[in-house]
Amino acid sequence: MGEEKKLFTRSFRIDEATMEKFKEISAEIGGNHQETIAKLIEAYEFQKGKQVLSGRAGSKDAVIQDLQRTACNCQTTAGECRGKSKIHDR
């Protein structure tokens, strides 16, 4: 099983509307405050990652090239890359 996290009491200065929205989100996901904050951080990081991908020049081709380079680097580390590996290009 996963390692249990040690939780601490924290306080935030937020207005009533923000607190109500936080409570709604928490109730919707069925979580406590820790889980709600973790999900909000996860959503933020996901959106940030999408922005990085969408901001690349020639986005699809750049992403494919990056994936090919990464795959080759991983294989090189494992001693398997012979310069012939290619990720399926659509």
Side-chain angles (χ1 to χ4, degrees), residues 39-63:
K39 288 292 184 186
L40 291 170
I41 291 169
E42 184 182 305
Y44 167 79
E45 290 174 344
F46 179 74
Q47 289 300 321
K48 188 175 170 184
K50 282 176 39 179
Q51 289 175 354
V52 168
L53 289 176
S54 67
R56 292 185 181 176
S59 61
K60 182 180 176 186
D61 293 332
V63 170

Side-chain angles (χ1 to χ4, degrees), residues 17-50:
T18 302
M19 186 62 196
E20 287 305 313
K21 188 63 178 175
F22 183 81
K23 286 179 182 179
E24 287 176 27
I25 293 168
S26 185
E28 188 173 313
I29 67 170
N32 59 30
H33 290 169
Q34 168 65 30
E35 292 166 338
T36 303
I37 290 173
K39 288 292 184 186
L40 291 170
I41 291 169
E42 184 182 305
Y44 167 79
E45 290 174 344
F46 179 74
Q47 289 300 321
K48 188 175 170 184
K50 282 176 39 179

